[in-house]
Amino acid sequence: MNENKDWPLWEIFIRSRAGLNHKHVGSLHAADEDMAIENARDVYTRRNEGISIWVVESKYITASNPEDEESLFDPADNKIYRHPTFYDLPDEVKHM
Amino acid sequence: MSESSMLEIFEEKIKREIKIEPREWMPDAYRKTLVRQISQHAHSEIVGMLPEANWIKRAPTMRRKVALLAKVQDEAGHGLYLYSAAETLGTSRKTMIDDLLSGKAKYSSIFNYPTITWADIGAVGWLVDGAAIMNQVMLCRTSYGPYARAMVRICKEESFHQRQGYEIMLTLAQGSQEQKAMAQDALNRWWWPSLMMFGPSDKESKHSAQSMAWKIKRKSNDELRQNFVDATVPQARLIGLSIPDPDLKWNEERGAYDFGDIDWEEFWNVVKGNGPCNKQRLDDRNKAHEEGHWVREAALAFAEKQAKRKAKKDKVA
Ligand SMILES: [Fe+2]
Ligand SMILES: [Fe+2]
C-alpha cells in the first residue's frame, strides 16, 4: 500500500446540547467512518463540547459557489414584507 | 469576473472586517502566506509536545501528571485544528508533514531548547504558553475564517496550560531553597527564548507589513513582545522570582517596561538549525512517523476490507 495517500478527510458536526442543531466544527482525517467518530470525539469533544457527532466524508459535500452569492441571496434583500415589522397595526394590539 | 475586480472585492472585505472563506477568491500571495504561517503554527504545536512529553512519566504527583498529560493532548489537538485549517487553502496533510519531517518547514524555535528539570515544565507552561497566548488571542481576529475559528477554540483551551505552569512555578518558589533555585534557574533559561518567540523586531521582519495590511496579523512582533513583558514581570515578582534582565525597568512615561536587547544572533542560529535540540526534535518526529507506518497501513487495509464487505452485504440485501 502506498504512503502517498492521506486517509480521507471528514467534516465533523457536533450537537453540543439536547435541543440544538449539529454544527460544523472542523475536519479531520480517518481511515473509515468509525475511526472518524472516535477521532472526532478525541479532537473536538475533550471538554464536554458535545453529546452527539455526525461525520461526513468531505468529498460528499456539495457547496454553493461563492461567486453566486449575489444571485442566490440578494433577491431576499428587498422582500421586507417577509418580516413582521413591515405590517402597520394599531398600537392597541400589544402582542402579535 | 476580472482579476482586478475580484481583488477589489477581496480588499473591500478585508477593510470591512468580513472574513475570507476557503473557496473565495484571494490573492496568491495571501494564500501562500497563510499556508506557510498556519502550517508552521501546526508544526509548532506538534513538535511542542516533545519537550513536555519528556516529563510526563516523571511528574512529581498524580495531579501534575494528569494535568501535563491533558495539556500535551491539547497541543496535539491544536496541531490537528491547524492542519485542517491549512488544508482548506489547498495544501495536503501529507505535503505539510513531509516538509516538517524533511526539515524544509519551520516550527517555533522555542521547542529546540531542552527541558532539563521539572521546573522547566513550569516555565514552559507559564512563559511559552503565555507568549503563545498573546499571539493567539490576536489571531482570533485574523482575516481568514478557518484560521480565526481554530484560534478561538485553541485560546479557550490554552488558559489552563499557562495556569498549570505558573502553579508549578509558584509551588517551587514557595518550597525549599533547592526548589526555589530550580524555579529561578528555569526562568533564567526560558526568559530570553520566550521573548524571541515573537519573532524579529519590526524593523527586521520581512513579512510583517504585508501581513498587517491583510489583517492576518493584527499587532506587530514588538507590540506583542511588549505586551508579554508587561503582563509577565508582575507575575514573576508575585512569586518572588527575578527576571534575568539588568536593564528591565518600569518606564513611567510609556506606561510599560523597558527591557534589554535580545541576542538576535542566538535567535538566528537556532532558526538555522543549530539550537541545542533541533536535531533531536526532528529525529524524534521522524522516528514516530516511521513507527506509525504499519498502523496507518493496517487501518487503511481494514477500512477497505470493511467497505468491500459492506458493499457485498448491501448487494445481497
Ligand atoms: Fe497549543
Ligand atoms: Fe498550550
Side-chain angles (χ1 to χ4, degrees), chain B residues 217-267:
Chain B
K217 286 182 65 125
R218 314 295 306 241
K219 286 180 178 187
S220 75
N221 295 355
D222 287 335
E223 243 180 308
L224 288 167
R225 190 164 15 240
Q226 182 72 58
N227 292 346
F228 175 73
V229 171
D230 293 343
T232 312
V233 171
Q235 295 166 358
R237 299 233 163 106
L238 194 66
I239 56 175
L241 298 179
S242 50
I243 303 282
D245 178 356
D247 298 324
L248 187 79
K249 190 164 95 249
W250 178 253
N251 183 324
E252 196 63 58
E253 212 171 296
R254 290 200 305 125
Y257 284 96
D258 291 336
F259 53 96
D261 289 332
I262 289 171
D263 181 356
W264 293 113
E265 208 173 309
E266 174 182 333
F267 173 78

Side-chain angles (χ1 to χ4, degrees), chain B residues 10-305:
Chain B
F10 171 84
E11 282 173 346
E12 183 64 21
K13 279 188 189 154
I14 297 284
K15 203 171 101 196
R16 292 174 48 210
E17 301 285 335
I18 297 172
K19 300 276 184 236
I20 307 300
E21 293 295 341
R23 296 167 69 238
E24 295 168 11
W25 187 90
M26 61 189 84
D28 272 347
Y30 177 81
R31 184 186 300 275
K32 264 202 199 129
T33 302
L34 279 171
V35 169
R36 194 193 64 240
Q37 182 174 329
I38 301 174
S39 60
Q40 278 181 12
H41 196 158
H43 298 328
S44 303
E45 303 282 352
I46 298 300
V47 177
M49 290 193 283
L50 295 169
E52 294 188 292
N54 182 33
W55 280 91
I56 291 174
K57 284 186 187 159
R58 293 180 285 160
T61 66
M62 201 54 173
R63 184 174 183 272
R64 294 290 185 221
K65 189 192 290 245
V66 291
L68 184 57
L69 199 55
K71 177 187 190 292
V72 172
Q73 192 188 12
D74 273 351
E75 306 302 1
H78 298 175
L80 294 179
Y81 309 151
L82 287 160
Y83 282 131
S84 294
E87 280 172 90
T88 64
L89 291 157
T91 180
S92 76
R93 183 74 57 101
K94 184 180 180 327
T95 311
M96 291 185 278
I97 301 288
D98 285 351
D99 286 352
L100 171 65
L101 296 177
S102 72
K104 186 178 160 205
K106 294 268 178 267
Y107 55 85
S108 178
S109 279
I110 193 78
F111 301 117
N112 290 319
Y113 291 86
T115 43
I116 53 184
T117 73
W118 170 249
D120 287 20
I121 297 305
V124 167
W126 173 34
L127 302 173
V128 176
D129 286 73
I133 290 169
M134 280 288 164
N135 188 39
Q136 292 176 153
V137 166
M138 161 194 83
L139 288 171
C140 290
R141 295 188 301 122
T142 192
S143 58
Y144 185 58
Y147 194 22
R149 291 192 286 275
M151 280 302 130
V152 170
R153 184 175 280 278
I154 286 174
C155 284
K156 275 191 202 145
E157 301 183 354
E158 283 290 352
S159 71
F160 115 71
H161 297 183
Q162 193 184 18
R163 291 173 70 113
Q164 68 93 35
Y166 189 62
E167 198 194 76
I168 292 172
M169 292 302 260
L170 168 72
T171 308
L172 291 172
Q174 290 172 340
S176 66
Q177 263 327 310
E178 284 96 336
Q179 286 172 316
K180 185 164 183 191
M182 196 201 270
Q184 183 62 53
D185 168 63
L187 171 56
N188 292 350
R189 281 180 291 107
W190 288 93
W191 175 252
W192 291 104
S194 297
L195 294 194
M196 294 175 197
M197 281 177 72
F198 298 97
S201 79
D202 296 348
K203 296 176 296 252
E204 307 288 326
S205 178
K206 56 179 177 178
H207 303 298
S208 246
Q210 182 59 75
S211 282
M212 298 276 279
W214 279 329
K215 296 187 182 168
I216 294 175
K217 286 182 65 125
R218 314 295 306 241
K219 286 180 178 187
S220 75
N221 295 355
D222 287 335
E223 243 180 308
L224 288 167
R225 190 164 15 240
Q226 182 72 58
N227 292 346
F228 175 73
V229 171
D230 293 343
T232 312
V233 171
Q235 295 166 358
R237 299 233 163 106
L238 194 66
I239 56 175
L241 298 179
S242 50
I243 303 282
D245 178 356
D247 298 324
L248 187 79
K249 190 164 95 249
W250 178 253
N251 183 324
E252 196 63 58
E253 212 171 296
R254 290 200 305 125
Y257 284 96
D258 291 336
F259 53 96
D261 289 332
I262 289 171
D263 181 356
W264 293 113
E265 208 173 309
E266 174 182 333
F267 173 78
W268 289 115
N269 197 38
V270 182
V271 170
K272 284 183 187 127
N274 307 317
C277 299
N278 295 58
K279 185 172 177 321
Q280 186 191 339
R281 300 293 183 235
L282 264 198
D283 288 351
D284 287 350
R285 275 318 309 156
N286 274 289
K287 183 162 169 271
H289 192 74
E290 273 156 35
E291 286 175 357
H293 178 88
W294 73 270
V295 179
R296 293 190 294 279
E297 196 168 311
L300 210 50
F302 180 74
E304 275 164 17
K305 200 165 117 192

Side-chain angles (χ1 to χ4, degrees), chain A residues 12 19-20 30 51 57-58 64 78 93 95:
Chain A
I12 312 301
L20 296 182
I51 55 162
E57 207 179 324
S58 308
S64 63
N78 57 8
V93 184
H95 305 287

